[in-house]
Amino acid sequence: MMRFDIITIFPEIFDSYFKESLIFRAQKKKLIQIKVHNLRDYTNNRHQVVDDRPFGGGFGMVMKIEPIFKAVKSIKSRVKSQESRVILFTPRGRKFNQKTAYQLSKNDQLILICGRYEGIDERVAKIADMEVSIGDYDLMGGELPAMIVIETVSRLIPGVIKSQLLKERIPSVRGRAGRGFIEYPQYTRPEVFSPKKGVSWKAPKILLSGDHKKIQEWRKKHQKIISS
Ligand code: ADE
């Protein structure tokens, strides 16, 4: 069982997303467990303040270290896991890709810290095992990155998606699962689709031939291996 602990000031953002589809089923099947923790529950001031003005001045607010430290400590003390990683989402972090997803899927607990506001106290990085970015663009917080990491890692956990599907999409390197994934063009009915008069978009005939060997060859020829 893989457990994800999310630390956020917007716990409700996750409500609908994790109650749908395969991620929901994976939780029901006890293949994964997702717990969302409200950072404000770890403050010890009456107003549940999680941010403050930056030292040295400047625009915006900075997330404080104390509540985040307390949250991580409390989660770690409650859950006895073998392999746990604390991840801090930040645009300067290691770029997330399929290879990182494989590595993360070998843990049994991921504690995900979602930053918000204009910044986060630099010392929070000391609590984290890894800083992760989902791409070179600036978001308003780490909540979407957390969802992306949870979805990408969850699909690699046996039983979450059909194993044939996973096998078909993972290229093997010398008989072992590789690090990227395979994409090839797919079609379904109708065989011919007409977006406007005189134009028809046809599915490749070979895919309707029933010739399994030829279909495999065609897919191999048209596949893209997406890897790092
Ligand atoms: N926080 C803000 N932007 C981010 C990004 N691109 N990746 C991860 N965390 C972020």
Side-chain angles (χ1 to χ4, degrees):
M1 152 104 77
M2 166 73 99
R3 185 182 157 116
F4 299 96
D5 288 278
I6 306 166
I7 301 168
T8 173
I9 54 165
F10 293 118
E12 276 119 52
I13 286 182
F14 299 92
D15 283 355
S16 74
Y17 190 74
F18 292 136
K19 286 202 182 89
E20 300 287 345
S21 183
L22 292 169
I23 292 287
F24 182 65
R25 246 203 286 162
Q27 292 170 85
K28 281 194 105 176
K29 287 204 270 179
K30 304 223 179 312
L31 300 169
I32 63 169
Q33 189 179 19
I34 303 170
K35 290 271 180 236
V36 185
H37 308 268
N38 189 341
L39 184 61
R40 293 191 197 282
D41 294 342
Y42 297 90
T43 52
N44 44 23
N45 50 71
R46 199 155 47 89
H47 299 291
Q48 300 193 303
V49 174
V50 293
D51 62 338
D52 208 338
R53 289 194 305 265
F55 283 145
F59 184 79
M61 299 293 269
V62 176
M63 284 180 92
K64 294 157 70 64
I65 185 168
E66 295 106 315
I68 299 174
F69 184 80
K70 229 171 127 186
V72 171
K73 198 170 165 196
S74 157
I75 292 163
K76 278 189 171 173
S77 73
R78 269 180 282 156
V79 184
K80 287 280 154 277
S81 75
Q82 306 286 317
E83 297 285 341
S84 176
R85 289 277 174 284
V86 179
I87 293 172
L88 172 64
F89 291 109
T90 149
R92 74 172 188 203
R94 164 173 163 186
K95 203 83 60 65
F96 185 65
N97 58 21
Q98 197 68 16
K99 182 178 155 191
T100 314
Y102 277 112
Q103 289 165 350
L104 294 178
S105 73
K106 305 286 182 252
N107 294 291
D108 57 8
Q109 182 186 32
L110 297 179
I111 300 172
L112 309 171
I113 306 171
C114 306
R116 270 272 156 181
Y117 302 135
E118 289 77 20
I120 197 157
D121 190 302
E122 183 61 33
R123 289 165 291 186
V124 173
K126 291 180 191 283
I127 307 171
D129 298 305
M130 194 197 273
E131 292 180 54
V132 170
S133 161
I134 59 156
D136 291 338
Y137 38 81
D138 207 4
L139 298 165
M140 291 191 276
E143 283 75 12
L144 286 171
M147 288 191 214
I148 286 167
V149 166
I150 291 174
E151 175 159 330
T152 317
V153 171
S154 294
R155 359 177 1 275
L156 298 173
I157 294 166
V160 172
I161 63 169
K162 288 199 180 81
S163 63
Q164 301 96 305
L165 185 66
L166 204 57
K167 236 188 270 163
E168 199 167 75
R169 286 172 60 90
I170 296 176
S172 86
V173 179
R174 279 175 252 105
R176 287 172 48 230
R179 287 161 166 182
F181 58 97
I182 292 169
E183 270 273 287
Y184 54 78
Q186 305 241 55
Y187 296 85
T188 186
R189 286 184 292 180
E191 201 180 320
V192 182
F193 176 75
S194 178
K196 64 178 178 190
K197 232 180 151 172
V199 178
S200 55
W201 295 343
K202 295 187 187 110
K205 274 246 162 342
I206 203 152
L207 300 179
L208 296 132
S209 68
D211 186 333
H212 201 64
K213 198 160 163 268
K214 284 232 165 75
I215 292 170
Q216 289 304 92
E217 281 167 13
W218 184 92
R219 284 184 173 162
K220 217 171 165 87
K221 193 172 148 204
H222 291 88
Q223 80 186 14
K224 275 213 165 67
I225 298 180
I226 296 153
S227 59
S228 46

